[in-house]
């Protein structure tokens, strides 16, 4: 059967990227993680519609795609805020005060870990080691690293985000 | 002994990630030498001679690993393991971000040595900047005719693809990594078959760590004997150490293997912060058993010496904890990490790590029972060696060493319901 | 083949060098407990219950995945193994609810049995159990994540055997969850296997939920009655009620379909007629078994040669068929079993076992939805595909196998036969080319050039197509498998239970030639593709006897109704798809005064002074000859051409009296192409009117990608929804559609 994939689901740039990725590997399925990244980059998160669209692209059951996506922590399967704050709380960050950083952000934004601010701007989560142990404590906001954090530094970072 | 800058020789140069900067210091000349002057088996021989061992943590001799690849016509793959996720480890990130061409050159030479024409760099998803640096570097090198079809005009084709993970520590385990690279859940595979015979797409595959592959160009350039002359009799060469925690100058340092442990902590990393006393140190990433301050006396940073001290060199990630650190909490935090990162396939790892966290949560919250410590120590027997992949054993490293070495601290938590350090 | 010697707990056995320790232990008679291992799934080594000590290996080895070596010494009775086993059981029980008293798996639960045998009596767990809510996935299965031990047998079945379904594992670590994605109803034709292979009570059958205890059931091995594959079934009976079906052996495959597993409760149905009935004006009144035979015999005595005819279901056993045949011969009556209006007869071909299918390199499936008509065969086709075979499905309707195949074309219903004919003759029809991608066309071409090709003709294939396929495959050395409807069509053909078709008999009634009709085991309104003809015949026939389990629409015209037994209450022989005899065994006593067809006939024949036989031992299947039937390749034209077929969950025998089963296909749908829907101004879930000069029905719209324009599929098999009224002898018909 000729598969009909609705290209307009993603932007032309993302579609180009997906075509490149699916062509890059000896087996197209290898591109699944990269395509999930690419679609998430555009949409912010992967809802059921996105999962089904990707499933069709790869000729896989949607359950299989969701099974893969849910295994990895970086895929947002629910809507997240404009800024996803990911604070490392693993050992090197913990012993350098990561818990205080988390508490500080919770107080500042008025949300708990796992929650999103009512205006949809920030989502706060804690994550495992980010590989910034030498500049602990550290966090990522969306894709950018912020290191050697102090409460004051966190304030100025968050305040600078529009 | 001090620092020895081999892998880190370029990283502080301005624009060190650019091809022209890399070439200015002899970059890709080792690839030229390999492709034009050496047969693949000669490279394997040199690497064997060098005594280079896998720098990802397991320490398996690299040349021997390469030697397992069958001499058949089927496709073969080289995979660079850049899924740096072991808590405390941040050494590969430096090479990836600051000297990507060194890694690419190492990959190209190694691929040539094992007969692969396609290589993948599996980089952890969080290192998106690193992935972009690598992708730019690959493009630069391909455009310059160094990589890609007919590399350097030698007739040898090499295609390198950057593959981003998406947040799963277990994908650092090589068979889980292969599943992830095939677009599946990162579940470790049953071995045998080993990747060297049935790896990526069921074809022979070699998986090497970033640091390991970045070392290969120097071995080709100066010979295996030269590399073997560095380090100690049994632990040859240099190693990157990522030191973090309560030290004055945390960071990545390259040392000859066999450098005294205390030299790294007290000289190179500037000693314990605020003049406090050292309490414990994790020598090789969170899964290696922790050592008490007195236990590092006279210990050298190499495979044998650390093993003799009851721990492991691991990935060279040294986590330093001063006297203010609550070991119970540290152990609890690491247990939580393993419970979160267990793939969930095999019973002992999945259930054991969850149970550990449940028990440790109670102890941290002041609701522990003395018999909890017996259960936790029993994990060594009922989990240890019984899991499908090494993650379950890794979870035991901090747990067992923490309780055995700091039992009084655990008992204090249980008996008083509080942390004696006020944490 | 060379063997190696392995010693397990002191017992030395010789096994093949690729055997695992677990297989060697089975041979040595040493019990090694396991959860995740399943003999017909790829070993996964997940549960770690089968850890054993191997001399020379530092760690304990999982017996299910560790290959033997010559001279290997294995110990399963050491302290280390004991401790590991206790540890694994303790781990599995940490968060497992101790709800065995209300768990349907109790009594056949691996976790229960293994804990009892190898576990410790006490628990050290002092923390809170993490529990999940119960999830009902539609009318067939219940999922209790809390009881799940994550052995992934169900997920492995779904991916490795069923070719990918909505069932999978999500998230990870201890919070891994099993379940369906994007649906609240799991009804994928093979959910039975999820229930059957779950070693604990995590996936259970809703039919069996809280009904009885496994140890209270007596099991009898019999053969499934739903299609001609004839899977082995164990029928679990308590107090003369059929409670549960199990499938414990690999016969013919290790797997079962949902028809065999769930569609059995009609046997216990309250609406079953358990006493003979006779017509008294407009009412049916009960009559004794003696009187009913007397009266029927007396009535039949009045008819001359050729005035009596019999129509029987293609599900009756050979012993009944022998009785029917001798009865019909004695009365010089015509008889036929082709109640679905087929004009073809079963083809005996060289395919003699399901392993022939599984070993094929190329499989071409034409004109039928194999997963609906012969479900387990579809899994064998997939097994071939997973071993590297090319599978092509070219059909006007397909709901399972096509999307899991290498080549899949949904073709217009009007041209289905012509496309199939062209294909068999080596030509690719333009309509087919349009439906396929370049790579599919390439694969299809290479398949047609291969000598190792199996052609499977679905139940819709006409007599002309069957004859053609038979000739071409004989010429080219292809293998051919021609599927028939019913569970014993091949046997009934071999017994000679055919004349000029059920249509011929019905027309004979209408023409006044046939005056007395005996119909057994079938509601012709449901099976025959021309309800108007059935109605005309049944209204005009002088004398009508109907025998069955239920008082269906055909029975409503009867002068006498004879209660028959179900497959569970009778023994007998059937001939399966591969022309072998299969033996059914009686699992329970006949209910009420119901009895087998052969006994009713014997009783009537006795009063007529003729003999009937039930002798079938003499039936020699090897001497059955092929009878090719003539006919034209079917072509139906119209603005819309519909294929009428029951959906899976309406396609089982007596589906209407299997409430859970039939609920899984709750309402009749029309499958439409996306462009037709657009032109009609309807979307998924809307209602459309389907009509022709003979009738008018409303269907709910279901859109299907790849469905060709002007071609629709109509569901049939629903109560009080006689879609057959639209038909004129074929299951394809021209109709008109409009928005409701």
């Amino acid at each position: 059967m000729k598969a009909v994939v609705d290209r307009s689901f993603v932007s032309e740039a993302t579609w180009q990227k997906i075509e490149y990725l699916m062509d890059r590997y000896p087996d197209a399925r290898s591109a699944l993680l990269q395509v999930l990244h690419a679609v998430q980059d555009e949409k912010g998160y992967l809802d059921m519609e996105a999962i089904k669209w990707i499933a069709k692209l790869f000729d896989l059951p949607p359950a299989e795609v969701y099974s893969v996506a849910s295994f990895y922590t970086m895929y947002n399967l629910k809507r997240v805020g404009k800024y996803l704050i990911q604070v490392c709380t693993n050992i090197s960050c913990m012993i350098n005060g990561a818990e205080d950083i988390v508490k500080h952000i919770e107080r500042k934004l008025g949300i708990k870990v796992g929650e999103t601010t009512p205006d949809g701007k920030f989502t706060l989560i804690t994550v495992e080691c980010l590989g910034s142990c030498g500049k602990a404590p550290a966090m990522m906001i969306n894709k950018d690293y912020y290191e050697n954090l102090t409460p004051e530094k966190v304030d100025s970072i968050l305040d600078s985000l529009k | 002994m001090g620092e020895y800058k081999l892998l880190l020789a370029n990283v502080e140069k301005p624009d060190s990630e650019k091809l022209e900067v890399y070439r200015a210091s002899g970059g890709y000349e080792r690839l030229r030498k390999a492709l034009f002057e050496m047969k693949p088996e000669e490279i394997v021989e040199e690497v064997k001679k060098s005594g280079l061992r896998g720098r990802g943590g397991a320490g398996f001799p690299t040349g021997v690993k390469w030697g397992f690849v069958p001499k058949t016509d089927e496709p073969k793959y080289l995979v660079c393991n850049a899924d740096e996720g072991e808590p405390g480890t941040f050494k590969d990130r430096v090479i990836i971000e600051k000297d990507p061409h060194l890694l690419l050159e190492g990959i190209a030479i190694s691929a040539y040595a094992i007969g692969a024409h396609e290589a993948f760099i599996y980089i952890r998803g969080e290192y998106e900047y690193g992935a972009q640096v690598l992708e730019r570097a690959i493009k630069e090198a391909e455009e310059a005719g160094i990589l890609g079809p007919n590399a350097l005009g030698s007739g040898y084709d090499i295609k390198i693809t950057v593959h981003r993970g998406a947040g799963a520590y277990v994908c650092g385990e090589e068979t889980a990594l292969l599943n992830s690279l095939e677009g599946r859940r990162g579940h470790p595979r049953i071995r045998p078959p080993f990747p060297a015979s049935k790896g990526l797409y069921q074809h022979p595959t070699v998986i090497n760590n970033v640091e390991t592959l970045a070392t290969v160009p120097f071995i080709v350039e100066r010979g295996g004997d030269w590399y073997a002359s560095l380090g100690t009799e049994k632990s040859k060469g240099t190693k990157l150490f990522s030191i973090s925690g309560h030290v004055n100058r945390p960071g990545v340092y390259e040392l000859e293997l066999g450098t005294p442990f205390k030299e790294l902590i007290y000289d190179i990393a500037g000693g314990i912060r605020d003049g406090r006393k050292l309490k414990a140190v994790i020598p090789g990433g969170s899964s290696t058993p922790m050592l008490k301050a007195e236990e590092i006396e006279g210990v050298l940073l190499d495979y044998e010496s650390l093993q003799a001290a009851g721990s492991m060199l691991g990935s060279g990630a040294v986590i330093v904890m001063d006297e203010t650190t609550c070991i119970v909490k540290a152990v609890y935090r690491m247990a939580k990490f393993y419970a979160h990162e267990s793939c969930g396939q095999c019973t002992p790892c999945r259930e054991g790590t969850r149970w550990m966290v449940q028990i440790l949560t109670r102890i941290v919250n002041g609701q522990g029972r003395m018999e909890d410590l017996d259960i936790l120590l029993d994990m060594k027997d009922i989990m240890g060696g019984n899991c499908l992949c090494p993650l379950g054993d890794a979870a035991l490293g901090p747990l067992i060493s923490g309780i055995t070495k700091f039992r009084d601290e655990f008992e204090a938590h249980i008996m008083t319901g509080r942390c004696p350090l006020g944490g | 083949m060379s063997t190696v010697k392995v010693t397990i707990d002191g017992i030395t056995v010789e096994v093949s060098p690729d055997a695992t320790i677990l297989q060697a232990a089975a041979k040595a008679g040493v019990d090694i407990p396991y959860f995740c291992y399943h003999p017909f799934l790829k070993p996964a080594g997940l549960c770690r219950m089968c850890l054993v000590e191997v001399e020379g290996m530092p760690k304990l080895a999982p017996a299910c995945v560790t290959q033997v070596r010559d001279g290997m010494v294995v110990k399963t009775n050491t302290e280390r193994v004991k401790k590991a086993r206790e540890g694994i059981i303790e781990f599995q029980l940490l968060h497992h609810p101790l709800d065995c008293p209300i768990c349907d798996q109790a009594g056949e639960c691996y976790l229960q049995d293994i804990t009892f045998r190898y576990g410790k009596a006490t628990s050290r767990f002092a923390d809170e159990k993490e529990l999940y809510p119960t999830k009902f996935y539609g009318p067939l299965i219940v999922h209790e994540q809390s009881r799940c031990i994550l052995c992934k047998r169900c997920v492995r079945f779904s991916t490795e055997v069923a070719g990918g379904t909505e069932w999978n594992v999500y998230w990870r670590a201890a919070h891994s969850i099993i379940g369906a994605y994007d649906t609240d109803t799991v009804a994928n034709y093979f959910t039975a296997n999820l229930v059957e292979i779950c070693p604990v009570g995590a996936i259970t059958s809703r039919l069996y939920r809280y009904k009885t205890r496994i140890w209270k059931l007596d099991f009898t091995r019999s053969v499934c009655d739903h299609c001609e594959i004839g899977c082995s079934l164990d029928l679990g009976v308590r107090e003369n009620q059929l409670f549960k079906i199990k499938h414990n052996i690999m016969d013919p495959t290790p797997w079962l379909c949902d028809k065999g597993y769930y569609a059995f409760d009609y046997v216990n149905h309250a609406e079953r007629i358990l006493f003979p009935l006779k017509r008294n004006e407009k009412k049916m009144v009960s009559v004794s078994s003696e009187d009913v035979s007397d009266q029927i015999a007396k009535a039949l005595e009045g008819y001359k040669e050729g005035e009596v005819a019999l129509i029987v279901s293609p599900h009756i056993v050979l012993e009944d068929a022998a009785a029917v045949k001798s009865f019909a011969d004695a009365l010089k009556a015509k008889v036929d079993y082709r109640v679905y209006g087929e004009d073809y007869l079963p083809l005996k071909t060289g395919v003699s076992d399901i392993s022939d299918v599984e070993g094929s390199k190329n499989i071409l499936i034409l004109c039928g939805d194999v997963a609906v008509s012969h479900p387990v065969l579809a899994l064998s086709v997939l097994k071939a595909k997973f071993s590297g075979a090319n599978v092509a499905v070219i059909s006007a309707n397909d709901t399972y196998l096509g999307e899991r195949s290498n080549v899949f074309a949904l073709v217009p219903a009007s041209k289905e036969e012509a496309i199939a004919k062209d294909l068999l003759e080596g030509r690719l029809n333009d309509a087919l080319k349009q439906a396929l991608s370049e790579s599919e066309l390439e694969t299809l071409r290479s398949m047609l050039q291969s000598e190792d090709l199996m052609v499977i003709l679905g139940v819709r294939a006409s007599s002309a197509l069957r004859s053609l396929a038979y000739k071409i495959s004989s010429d080219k050395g292809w293998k051919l498998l021609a599927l028939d409807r019913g569970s014993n069509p091949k046997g009934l053909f071999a017994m000679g239970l055919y004349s000029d078709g059920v249509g011929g008999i019905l027309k004979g009634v209408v023409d006044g030639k046939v005056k007395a009709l005996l119909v057994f085991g079938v509601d012709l309104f449901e099976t025959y593709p021309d309800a108007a003809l059935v109605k005309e015949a049944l209204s005009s026939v002088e004398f009508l006897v109907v025998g069955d389990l239920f008082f269906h629409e055909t029975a409503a015209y009867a002068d006498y109704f004879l209660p028959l037994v179900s497959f569970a209450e009778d023994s007998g022989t059937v001939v399966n798809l591969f022309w072998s005899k299969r033996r059914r065994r009686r699992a329970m006593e006949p209910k009420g005064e119901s009895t087998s067809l052969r006994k009713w006939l014997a009783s009537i024949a006795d009063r007529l002074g003729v003999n009937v036989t039930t002798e079938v031992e003499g039936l020699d299947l090897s001497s059955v000859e092929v009878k090719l039937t003539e006919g034209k390749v079917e072509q139906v034209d119209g603005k819309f051409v519909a294929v009428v077929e029951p959906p899976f969950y309406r396609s089982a025998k007596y589906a209407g009296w299997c409430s859970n089963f039939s609920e899984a296909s709750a309402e009749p749908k029309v499958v439409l192409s996306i462009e037709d829907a657009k032109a009609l101004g309807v979307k998924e879930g809307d209602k459309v009117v389907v009509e022709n000069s003979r009738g008018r029905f409303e269907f709910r719209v279901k859109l299907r990608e790849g469905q060709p324009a002007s071609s629709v599929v109509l569901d049939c098999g629903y109560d009080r929804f006689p879609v057959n009224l639209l038909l004129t002898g074929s299951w394809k018909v021209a109709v008109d559609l409009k928005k409701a």
Side-chain angles (χ1 to χ4, degrees), chain C residues 210-221:
Chain C
Y210 301 156
K211 286 269 170 64
T212 181
R213 287 304 194 178
I214 190 81
W215 58 86
K216 300 227 172 187
L217 298 178
D218 290 322
F219 282 93
T220 306
R221 185 152 294 169

Side-chain angles (χ1 to χ4, degrees), chain C residues 16-28:
Chain C
S16 122
D18 51 11
T20 61
I21 294 177
L22 196 64
Q23 287 162 337
K27 200 169 178 196

Side-chain angles (χ1 to χ4, degrees), chain A residues 28-40:
Chain A
R29 166 137 190 191
S30 277
L32 180 55
L33 267 66
Q34 310 313 304
V35 170
L36 286 164
H37 276 309
V39 175
Q40 175 165 298

Side-chain angles (χ1 to χ4, degrees), chain C residues 632-709:
Chain C
K632 270 173 61 183
V633 164
E634 201 177 30
Q635 176 111 22
V636 185
D637 295 311
K639 190 172 166 203
F640 287 96
V641 176
V643 178
V644 177
E645 277 188 338
F648 185 94
Y649 292 97
R650 294 281 165 167
S651 68
K653 186 143 173 69
Y654 301 120
W657 286 276
C658 300
S659 46
N660 287 58
F661 179 80
S662 58
E663 253 176 58
S665 294
E667 62 176 334
K669 296 201 169 70
V670 53
V671 176
L672 271 187
S673 72
I674 291 153
E675 28 185 328
D676 285 342
K678 214 176 253 175
L680 292 165
V682 293
K683 53 184 191 320
E684 177 108 13
D686 285 354
K687 288 217 159 183
V688 291
V689 172
V690 178
E691 62 184 346
N692 62 15
S693 59
R694 303 164 67 101
R696 176 193 152 96
F697 293 88
E698 268 191 21
F699 288 86
R700 186 97 45 209
V701 170
K702 185 182 160 79
L703 298 181
R704 182 157 72 184
E705 212 174 290
Q707 178 71 18

Side-chain angles (χ1 to χ4, degrees), chain A residues 102-129:
Chain A
V102 173
K103 278 190 199 127
H104 181 79
I105 300 174
E106 284 184 336
R107 265 198 307 273
K108 184 175 170 71
L109 299 179
I111 53 171
K112 295 271 168 216
V113 171
E115 293 176 351
T116 303
T117 53
D119 60 0
K121 191 170 173 191
F122 294 106
T123 299
L124 173 65
I125 59 170
T126 57
V127 294
E128 298 299 350
C129 186

Side-chain angles (χ1 to χ4, degrees), chain B residues 228-243:
Chain B
S229 71
L230 301 173
T232 70
E233 179 58 34
K234 284 187 174 163
S235 296
K236 298 174 196 307
T238 67
K239 169 92 193 79
L240 299 181
F241 288 90
S242 358
I243 183 164

Side-chain angles (χ1 to χ4, degrees), chain A residues 1-2 4 48 51-52 56 61-64 66-67 70-73 77, chain C residues 164-166 168-172 181-182 408 434-437 440 705-706:
Chain A
M1 215 163 87
K2 285 177 190 161
V4 195
M48 198 182 271
I51 294 288
K52 285 188 186 168
K56 202 158 170 203
E64 178 71 19
Y66 191 72
S67 173
S70 62
F71 182 86
Y72 300 95
T73 54
L77 301 171
Chain C
T165 68
E166 67 274 54
N168 219 311
V169 58
Y170 314 102
W171 310 104
R172 73 180 188 209
Y181 181 68
D182 186 30
F408 177 33
Q434 239 171 40
L436 295 175
S437 70
E440 283 178 309
E705 212 174 290

Side-chain angles (χ1 to χ4, degrees), chain A residues 24-25 30 72 89 129 143, chain B residues 124 128 160 181 201 333:
Chain A
R24 182 81 195 179
Y25 296 87
S30 277
Y72 300 95
T89 56
C129 186
K143 296 177 172 189
Chain B
R124 63 177 299 185
E128 193 176 3
I160 304 176
L181 190 48
Y201 314 123
R333 184 60 190 83

